């Protein structure tokens, strides 16, 4: 059985050799960004997001921390912090999974199957349940316009401030997006750290 460090290196290299653009935060392999395209035939297919990944020392026996850097309008993603609460990430993670599963299965299915009954974004959930046609139109527009604008802001501030290697990530994110309020959702790394009563339940299939 390979050690956690060896498995971490192998999974990161596997991701880098795939079709995903990976940007390392520092010389290690515990923090990095992945460019994520919305899944085909979904409301998000024309959007592109920067996803922050943090791998704990015990990965793959402990799950990675996943968060959207530029904003996305989705019932199960905190619009301010980018936090994602997924049952498969926070509750039922297995060493059998790897980073390719996260970006080819778990995140695409999150965008394909939003759950408005257990939201992190109450406005998106309410709109989806109240006026689905308006919700879908808003998602399509914001996936193209908002994601691109915010991604440009993040990349600009990342260059100016040195990104999360020189600033606490939440403060850096707050400043890069020019947020008025200093309060950031506490759902950053693990669902048990926030006030949610349960994690979002998401159907998924394992890759072989």
């Amino acid at each position: 059985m390979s050690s956690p460090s060896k498995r971490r290196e192998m999974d990161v290299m596997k991701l880098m050799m795939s079709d995903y653009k990976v940007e390392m935060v520092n010389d290690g392999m515990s923090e990095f960004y992945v460019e994520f395209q919305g899944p085909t035939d979904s409301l998000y297919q024309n959007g592109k997001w920067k996803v922050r990944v943090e791998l704990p020392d015990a990965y793959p026996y402990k799950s990675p921390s996943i968060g959207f850097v530029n904003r996305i309008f989705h019932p199960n993603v905190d619009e301010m912090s980018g936090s994602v609460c997924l049952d498969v990430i926070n509750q039922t993670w297995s060493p059998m999974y790897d980073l390719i599963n996260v970006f080819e299965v778990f995140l695409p299915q999150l965008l394909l199957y939003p759950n408005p009954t257990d939201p992190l974004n109450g406005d998106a959930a309410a709109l989806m349940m109240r006026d689905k046609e308006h919700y879908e139109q808003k998602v399509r527009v914001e996936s193209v316009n908002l994601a691109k604008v915010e991604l440009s802001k993040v990349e600009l501030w990342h260059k100016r401030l040195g990104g999360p290697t020189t600033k606490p990530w939440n403060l850096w994110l707050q400043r890069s997006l020019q947020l008025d309020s200093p309060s950031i959702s506490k759902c950053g790394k693990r669902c048990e750290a926030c006030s949610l009563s349960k994690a979002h339940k998401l159907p998924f299939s394992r890759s072989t």
Side-chain angles (χ1 to χ4, degrees):
M1 181 181 295
S2 61
S3 66
S5 62
K6 291 291 185 181
R7 171 64 187 273
R8 184 188 305 114
E9 292 176 6
M10 181 177 68
D11 283 5
V12 172
M13 291 303 297
K14 183 178 177 182
L15 190 65
M16 294 176 73
M17 293 174 65
S18 67
D19 293 331
Y20 299 99
K21 180 180 177 182
V22 179
E23 177 187 344
M24 308 307 295
V25 171
N26 48 46
D27 293 335
M29 289 193 171
S30 60
E31 298 179 31
F32 50 90
Y33 297 102
V34 180
E35 192 173 279
F36 176 66
Q37 180 76 40
T40 304
D41 298 328
S42 76
L43 299 175
Y44 299 90
Q45 65 179 349
N46 294 319
K48 185 179 292 183
W49 290 269
K50 199 172 203 178
V51 177
R52 180 179 174 85
V53 180
E54 294 183 34
L55 301 181
D57 292 340
Y59 176 89
Y61 303 103
K62 288 188 177 181
S63 64
S65 175
I66 305 294
F68 286 85
V69 177
N70 49 324
R71 286 189 289 178
I72 180 172
F73 189 72
H74 188 286
N76 309 115
V77 181
D78 189 291
E79 194 171 21
M80 298 286 277
S81 69
S83 301
V84 177
C85 281
L86 288 173
D87 181 62
V88 69
I89 296 291
N90 298 285
Q91 304 295 330
T92 61
W93 176 265
S94 164
M96 293 177 62
Y97 305 139
D98 60 16
L99 297 172
I100 295 294
N101 290 130
V102 171
F103 288 95
E104 291 192 355
V105 181
F106 305 150
L107 287 183
Q109 290 202 4
L110 173 71
L111 301 192
L112 286 165
Y113 305 106
N115 179 7
T117 64
D118 188 20
L120 282 178
N121 184 333
D123 291 340
L127 182 60
M128 182 180 178
M129 292 188 289
R130 182 179 68 250
D131 188 342
K132 190 172 182 180
E133 184 177 349
H134 185 195
Y135 163 80
E136 291 180 350
Q137 181 182 12
K138 183 176 177 68
V139 169
R140 289 191 182 98
V141 171
E142 293 203 356
S143 292
V144 176
N145 298 331
L146 183 61
K148 286 184 178 178
V149 170
E150 295 300 332
L151 184 58
S152 297
K153 282 185 183 180
V154 168
E155 290 175 342
L156 176 62
W157 278 106
H158 181 81
K159 291 179 180 178
R160 288 182 179 178
L161 302 180
T165 60
T166 59
K167 297 285 184 181
W169 181 65
N170 281 348
L171 296 179
W172 170 74
L173 177 64
Q174 177 193 336
R175 189 174 178 186
S176 67
L177 299 185
Q178 298 178 348
L179 303 178
D180 293 327
S181 171
S183 61
I184 298 292
S185 169
K186 294 182 180 179
C187 192
K189 289 190 175 181
R190 297 287 183 269
C191 273
E192 59 262 30
C194 72
S195 59
L196 294 180
S197 59
K198 59 180 179 178
H200 171 62
K201 304 297 182 182
L202 178 70
F204 63 90
S205 59
R206 298 182 183 180
S207 64
T208 56

